Amino acid sequence: MSRKIECAGKSTAFACEVLPESYELYDRLDLARDRKAIKLIVIWTLLIIAGMVVPMLFVHPVSHAFDMPASKLLFCVVAMIVGIIVYTLLHEGVHGMFIKLFTGENPTFGMEIKKGMAYAGSRWLFKKVPYIIVALAPLTIWGIVLALFLKDVDESYFWFLYAVQIFNVTGSAGDIYVSCMIAGMPKEVLVCDSGIAMDFYRPVK
C-alpha cells in the first residue's frame, strides 16, 4: 500500500518546498552529462524526425515549398527560424506557468548556450503526476495549437510551419524521456528539477 506524502514545511497539493525527513535520494539524471541518456534522446530524436517527415512527403510534396520567388522563399526561411526561436521561449514559458500554478512560486529560467539548452527549473519537489504534467504540458499545448494552424495553412507554407511542429516534438524528447523514466518509479517519488539535472527521492524503506 502506498503511503501519503507528508511534506515538511510549506507545501501544496502538488509539491513540497522541503524534502520530508523520511525521504532519501533514489536516482539522479543530468541531461547535460549523462551520456547514456543523451544517446537515447538523440536516437529518439532521429526516429521522431523520420516518423514525422517521411509520411508527410506523400501528402505534402516538399517541392511546393520551393515553388515561389527567391525573395519569398528567403522570407519563409527567416520566418521559420524566428518561429523556432520564439517557440523555444514559449515552450519554457509553459513549463514555468505550470511550475507557478503547482507551487505558487516563480520558476527560474536559464540557458546553456554551449549545450544548446534552455530550461525552466524550481527548487520545489514535485509529486509524480504533477511533475509529468509540467514536463509534457508544452508538447501537448503547442502541439495542438500548431496542428490547428497546419490544418488550414496554404500548401506553399506547410513545410515551414511543420518544421516548427517537428521542433516542438523533438525539442520535447528530453521531457518525454524523463516522463517515461519517472512513470516507472514509486508512486510516492518526489522530483527536484533544477532545469537540467533532476533528483528523484523516495521514502526510506
Side-chain angles (χ1 to χ4, degrees), residues 52-68 73 76-77 80 154-163 166:
M52 293 182 71
V53 171
V54 174
M56 282 300 176
L57 290 173
F58 296 97
V59 183
H60 301 277
V62 72
S63 59
H64 291 167
F66 299 94
D67 188 19
M68 61 178 71
L73 177 61
C76 289
V77 171
M80 177 186 70
D154 185 274
E155 188 67 27
S156 298
Y157 307 123
F158 177 84
W159 280 100
F160 299 103
L161 183 57
Y162 193 56
I166 292 173

Side-chain angles (χ1 to χ4, degrees), residues 66-109:
F66 299 94
D67 188 19
M68 61 178 71
S71 57
K72 191 174 182 180
L73 177 61
L74 178 60
F75 173 81
C76 289
V77 171
V78 172
M80 177 186 70
I81 295 172
V82 172
I84 288 174
I85 294 172
V86 171
Y87 163 78
T88 301
L89 300 177
L90 293 175
H91 178 105
E92 299 307 327
V94 171
H95 280 315
M97 181 180 69
F98 277 87
I99 289 173
K100 174 75 172 181
L101 178 65
F102 288 156
T103 67
E105 187 174 287
N106 291 326
T108 56
F109 295 99

Side-chain angles (χ1 to χ4, degrees), residues 133-144:
I133 292 173
V134 171
L136 298 182
L139 169 64
T140 305
I141 292 174
W142 295 121
I144 293 172

Side-chain angles (χ1 to χ4, degrees), residues 3 18 20 34 57 125 128 162 176:
R3 68 179 80 173
V18 180
D34 190 322
L57 290 173
L125 297 111
K128 185 173 184 176
Y162 193 56
I176 298 171

